[in-house]
Amino acid sequence: MSKTYKIAVLPGDGIGVEIVPQGIKALDAVGAKLGLHFEYNEALIGGAAIDATGKALPDETLQMALASDAVFFGAVGGPKWDSLQPASRRPETGGLFPLRKALKAYANLRPVVVFDALTSASCLKQEAIDGGLDILFVRELTGGIYFGQPKERREINGEHVAIDTCVYSVSEIERISHMAFKQAARRRGRVHSVDKANVMETSRLWREVVTEVGKRYPDIELTHILADNCGMQLLRNPRQFDVILADNLFGDLLTDEASMLAGSLGMLPSASIGDEHGGLYEPIHGSAPDIAGRDIANPIATILTAAMLLRYACDCPDGSVMVRNAVEAVLNEGCRTGDIASSGDKVVSCNEMGDLIAQAITNSEL
Ligand code: NAD
């Protein structure tokens, strides 16, 4: 008997409610093709949850997420809630971050793939990305400066100061390093580990531990690179990278930069996974309040996120490839949402893009 996967569906705020249904269309199309069954349970998170319950992560949502095989997430936040005090009440800090923490999702996998059809949408010169681009970021997600304590305001010598604390333990660095080396072993066998070992103590420990873990993967080529240099090299010669391993802060910044290689934030998926739960699957962009409610958001990041859910939560690489190929086929036909359109392209809505990709999955050869 085939397994039914319990998916907690958390659309969130803004374009979250528009893009998540497009990802579900893709999952259903793959399910029908490959005989996978999904049971979807929707719950509130972020601003929508604050309005309804006063909490960005209601207990009911958390329990549902913990009891599911995977969490399929849209985006949270918006001007209505982003200044709430204390900060721990806000959609991201009070909703998404504790959810990642509760799921023990310590590794954020963020592929940056430039599809051939979209090389002109990239902000880089054509020659830098000709022949395609495929980088996998492995970002540490539950430690570092976003979580370290103390994190506060105080008076020092009569002056108001703000303090964030960056903390990393050996075990936190070890487990994310193993994840990066294992991913590299399935790819082109190279890891660039990002740090600021020239100025930060946490980075010096990061470098030591990554080096030690790397000795257990003799076939993987390990290079240490300073975060500022990595930012520059991503624009100068992105093809040198295979897997980029980074801590929470550097990974956050560098993945947004790398998103522009792919043409739009709306193209990039991610999976946040750990060892104890099926994981949290989320596009890397936010709730895009500037375009929300107009059916113009690009759902491809979310649809590719569904592909990652198939690979990691359902152990279904065939389904994952099917989704990716369907996205590529629709792009090759010249269909684009506004954020990635050039002159001559057929501009379609968020919903239409979701339908086209689901149809391409249905039409695809097994
Ligand atoms: P954003 O990612 O929402 O948007 C940045 C820009 O990219 C905007 O111009 C937006 O229109 C565009 N964009 C983003 N996704 C798109 C898509 N799928 N299709 C087309 N265009 C897209 O970042 P922001 O504007 O800095 O933040 C908006 C809100 O989202 C804030 O409340 C922020 O806190 C929140 N946020 C949430 C997450 C998350 O839930 N994971 C991540 C980042 C930001």
Side-chain angles (χ1 to χ4, degrees), residues 202-277:
T202 40
S203 278
R204 279 191 276 277
L205 180 66
W206 182 276
R207 194 174 276 217
E208 283 166 31
V209 174
V210 173
T211 303
E212 272 312 301
V213 173
K215 289 178 185 163
R216 295 166 63 177
Y217 299 86
D219 296 335
I220 307 296
E221 182 189 317
L222 170 64
T223 306
H224 298 283
I225 185 167
L226 295 177
D228 38 354
N229 186 25
C230 186
M232 189 265 280
Q233 294 293 338
L234 273 170
L235 301 184
R236 201 183 68 84
N237 177 19
R239 272 201 301 253
Q240 70 186 286
F241 296 112
D242 177 16
V243 172
I244 298 180
L245 166 63
D247 79 359
N248 206 342
L249 174 65
F250 300 143
D252 194 4
L253 304 182
L254 292 170
T255 48
D256 263 31
E257 179 192 345
S259 73
M260 291 318 293
L261 306 178
S264 166
L265 275 177
M267 291 299 297
L268 296 188
S270 88
S272 303
I273 57 179
D275 303 323
E276 294 174 31
H277 183 271

Side-chain angles (χ1 to χ4, degrees), residues 15 19 73-79 81-82 91-92 96 100 110 256 264-267 282-291 296-302 337 339:
I15 61 168
I19 54 179
F73 177 90
V76 290
W81 311 282
D82 286 351
E92 277 183 277
L96 178 57
R100 287 174 179 161
R110 293 187 171 194
D256 263 31
S264 166
L265 275 177
M267 291 299 297
E282 44 177 327
I284 81 157
H285 58 73
S287 59
D290 53 334
I291 58 166
I296 59 171
N298 185 346
I300 293 180
T302 311
T337 43
D339 57 315

Side-chain angles (χ1 to χ4, degrees), residues 99-351:
L99 177 63
R100 287 174 179 161
K101 196 105 189 165
L103 294 170
K104 300 194 172 71
Y106 63 82
N108 186 224
L109 308 184
R110 293 187 171 194
V112 176
V113 174
V114 178
F115 289 93
D116 273 357
L118 284 189
T119 49
S120 62
S122 170
C123 64
L124 283 198
K125 285 195 192 123
Q126 202 73 21
E127 62 258 30
I129 48 169
D130 259 353
L133 190 63
D134 181 0
I135 301 172
L136 178 69
F137 281 86
V138 177
R139 169 188 167 196
E140 202 290 327
L141 202 58
T142 51
I145 200 161
Y146 292 174
F147 293 100
Q149 294 294 336
K151 181 183 271 304
E152 62 189 23
R153 305 278 182 101
R154 61 168 92 134
E155 298 290 318
I156 296 183
N157 296 331
E159 197 177 0
H160 194 66
V161 301
I163 295 171
D164 291 293
T165 307
C166 189
V167 187
Y168 268 113
S169 66
V170 170
S171 58
E172 281 176 313
I173 304 169
E174 278 176 348
R175 65 185 183 180
I176 193 72
S177 304
H178 280 293
M179 184 75 79
F181 285 110
K182 283 181 182 151
Q183 291 291 333
R186 284 190 224 141
R187 295 168 49 94
R188 302 188 300 280
R190 267 178 289 143
V191 171
H192 280 79
S193 173
V194 176
D195 62 43
K196 284 288 286 178
N198 51 340
V199 287
M200 290 176 68
E201 200 51 46
T202 40
S203 278
R204 279 191 276 277
L205 180 66
W206 182 276
R207 194 174 276 217
E208 283 166 31
V209 174
V210 173
T211 303
E212 272 312 301
V213 173
K215 289 178 185 163
R216 295 166 63 177
Y217 299 86
D219 296 335
I220 307 296
E221 182 189 317
L222 170 64
T223 306
H224 298 283
I225 185 167
L226 295 177
D228 38 354
N229 186 25
C230 186
M232 189 265 280
Q233 294 293 338
L234 273 170
L235 301 184
R236 201 183 68 84
N237 177 19
R239 272 201 301 253
Q240 70 186 286
F241 296 112
D242 177 16
V243 172
I244 298 180
L245 166 63
D247 79 359
N248 206 342
L249 174 65
F250 300 143
D252 194 4
L253 304 182
L254 292 170
T255 48
D256 263 31
E257 179 192 345
S259 73
M260 291 318 293
L261 306 178
S264 166
L265 275 177
M267 291 299 297
L268 296 188
S270 88
S272 303
I273 57 179
D275 303 323
E276 294 174 31
H277 183 271
L280 173 68
Y281 297 83
E282 44 177 327
I284 81 157
H285 58 73
S287 59
D290 53 334
I291 58 166
R294 293 161 55 195
D295 195 21
I296 59 171
N298 185 346
I300 293 180
T302 311
I303 292 168
L304 293 172
T305 296
M308 295 188 83
L309 187 155
L310 287 163
R311 181 177 296 272
Y312 293 105
C314 308
D315 195 19
C316 181
D318 289 350
S320 184
V321 170
M322 205 174 257
V323 175
R324 191 191 178 287
N325 288 347
V327 168
E328 188 151 33
V330 170
L331 291 174
N332 286 343
E333 283 163 16
C335 299
R336 307 274 190 277
T337 43
D339 57 315
I340 50 172
S342 313
S343 65
D345 291 331
K346 177 170 189 260
V347 177
V348 299
S349 69
C350 176
N351 240 301

